[in-house]
Amino acid sequence: KEGETPWIFNLGANVTYRRSFDVTDLQVKFSVYNLLNQERIVEVDEELFSSDGSGNPSYRVGTGYQSPRYGLLTVTLDF
């Protein structure tokens, strides 16, 4: 069908380390998003004609993609 994009999914994972010291709690968390590094199209150009009325050369070409794999490190210190 026109304008449909492929089915996408995001697989992520994280690991957390916790440690208590007397009156302080430490938490270190590492998260990875889009673990499989999928690069699928999430948006396409749906305009058949350009603004001047001629054919649009980028019709049905991807204009938006999944975010690449990335990680996030969070350190929390509660006291």
Side-chain angles (χ1 to χ4, degrees):
K1 293 181 183 179
E2 298 294 323
E4 284 190 5
T5 57
W7 182 77
I8 64 168
F9 63 94
N10 283 318
L11 178 64
N14 68 63
V15 62
T16 302
Y17 173 77
R18 293 184 180 137
R19 178 85 190 252
S20 292
F21 304 97
D22 295 328
V23 295
T24 305
D25 294 323
L26 170 70
Q27 177 176 307
V28 179
K29 181 177 180 180
F30 181 65
S31 301
V32 178
Y33 299 92
N34 196 4
L35 189 63
L36 302 178
N37 204 25
Q38 298 285 321
E39 295 180 10
R40 298 199 176 154
I41 296 172
V42 296
E43 184 178 302
V44 296
D45 187 345
E46 298 177 349
E47 298 297 323
L48 181 57
F49 297 102
S50 298
S51 58
D52 63 2
S54 63
N56 182 1
S58 62
Y59 176 63
R60 295 180 68 186
V61 173
T63 57
Y65 301 86
Q66 278 180 284
S67 297
R69 178 183 327 139
Y70 65 98
L72 179 64
L73 178 65
T74 307
V75 178
T76 306
L77 192 60
D78 293 323
F79 53 93

